[in-house]
Amino acid sequence: GQNIDQPTEMTATEGAIVQINCTYQTSGFNGLFWYQQHAGEAPTFLSYNVLDGLEEKGRFSSFLSRSKGYSYLLLKELQMKDSASYLCAVRDSNYQLIWGAGTKLIIKP
Amino acid sequence: DSGVTQTPKHLITATGQRVTLRCSPRSGDLSVYWYQQSLDQGLQFLIQYYNGEERAKGNILERFSAQQFPDLHSELNLSSLELGDSALYFCASSVGTGSSYEQYFGPGTRLTVT
């Protein structure tokens, strides 16, 4: 079957760095997405990786290793507004998005 | 603002009833997706339409149905509602179905079944 694993919850301190991991087992691979979702709100797109390596976008970076079925989202200089759930999603061989359950990130002052 | 609109924002109804949720995709987007998100749960993919045709089906119950109209707006119909159907229902749209196309989500419809 298809599976995406992320930690359920993580806690970090304002100003620090946090890495949220995502491992996947899917039928085929056509890209990996990270989304941010604040409680009760719609998910918003953060990043897209299809080739191995690191993609940097301001305070957020996303890394992909296709051979290991692994990705991480790195958030630097954490701010209180970064408290949210972070969703990992993989596009499979049928171009369907398979979603992880999300990681709830709690930022403490 | 993602450009995807959903109505209504909130809906409260009783068990056994039927409701219709509406979604208008971003201008130019041909693909529409419907998701269900129960409290503190992940996104559950329900169904996808592309340019009026059903493209993919996820964990959609037989009591639920959807369609996409010629103007590309979409409706999700939920019937014989049960308490467990209470959830946030999101609609998302994308330009196409290629690998790099991200989905843009609407604000959601919060359904409460009493």
Side-chain angles (χ1 to χ4, degrees), chain B residues 83-96:
Chain B
L83 295 177
D85 298 327
S86 295
L88 256 177
Y89 290 85
F90 287 109
C91 164
S93 74
S94 66
V95 171

Side-chain angles (χ1 to χ4, degrees), chain A residues 4-8 20-23 34 86-89 99-103:
Chain A
I4 296 184
D5 284 317
Q6 306 177 234
T8 304
I20 301 174
N21 295 326
C22 169
T23 57
W34 284 96
Y86 291 86
L87 312 177
C88 172
W99 292 83
T103 298

Side-chain angles (χ1 to χ4, degrees), chain B:
Chain B
D1 184 356
S2 67
V4 179
T5 60
Q6 289 186 249
T7 56
K9 196 166 182 178
H10 299 279
L11 198 49
I12 301 174
T13 189
T15 53
Q17 296 298 303
R18 172 189 168 96
V19 297
T20 297
L21 313 184
R22 184 188 167 102
C23 167
S24 291
R26 290 188 323 154
S27 177
D29 284 0
L30 299 178
S31 241
V32 169
Y33 310 77
W34 285 99
Y35 292 92
Q36 179 193 55
Q37 189 173 41
S38 302
L39 192 63
D40 291 334
Q41 298 292 310
L43 283 171
Q44 295 295 318
F45 168 65
L46 296 178
I47 198 163
Q48 177 201 354
Y49 281 83
Y50 177 76
N51 204 20
E53 307 254 334
E54 183 184 301
R55 189 65 180 250
K57 243 179 180 175
N59 301 320
I60 188 165
L61 300 171
E62 284 192 15
R63 301 184 284 111
F64 295 1
S65 64
Q67 53 184 326
Q68 186 179 29
F69 295 87
D71 67 353
L72 301 178
H73 91 271
S74 178
E75 292 181 357
L76 179 68
N77 300 297
L78 315 176
S79 61
S80 302
L81 284 167
E82 302 175 358
L83 295 177
D85 298 327
S86 295
L88 256 177
Y89 290 85
F90 287 109
C91 164
S93 74
S94 66
V95 171
T97 57
S99 60
S100 65
Y101 294 131
E102 67 262 35
Q103 295 179 17
Y104 293 86
F105 284 77
T109 292
R110 183 173 293 283
L111 174 67
T112 303
V113 182
T114 61

Side-chain angles (χ1 to χ4, degrees), chain A residues 17-93:
Chain A
I17 299 173
V18 72
Q19 177 176 310
I20 301 174
N21 295 326
C22 169
T23 57
Y24 62 89
Q25 290 176 306
T26 56
S27 54
F29 178 84
N30 281 299
L32 185 144
F33 295 81
W34 284 96
Y35 281 77
Q36 180 191 59
Q37 186 180 24
H38 286 98
E41 298 182 10
T44 54
F45 169 74
L46 287 178
S47 69
Y48 170 72
N49 294 70
V50 67
L51 298 176
D52 290 353
L54 189 68
E55 294 279 342
E56 297 188 77
K57 234 189 216 184
R59 295 189 299 114
F60 292 5
S61 304
S62 57
F63 171 83
L64 174 68
S65 168
R66 288 171 297 169
S67 62
K68 295 182 179 176
Y70 167 72
S71 173
Y72 67 73
L73 181 69
L74 192 71
L75 292 77
K76 301 176 189 173
E77 300 167 19
L78 286 170
Q79 302 174 10
M80 297 304 292
K81 68 178 182 179
D82 297 329
S83 291
S85 287
Y86 291 86
L87 312 177
C88 172
V90 173
R91 188 155 264 147
D92 69 10
S93 56

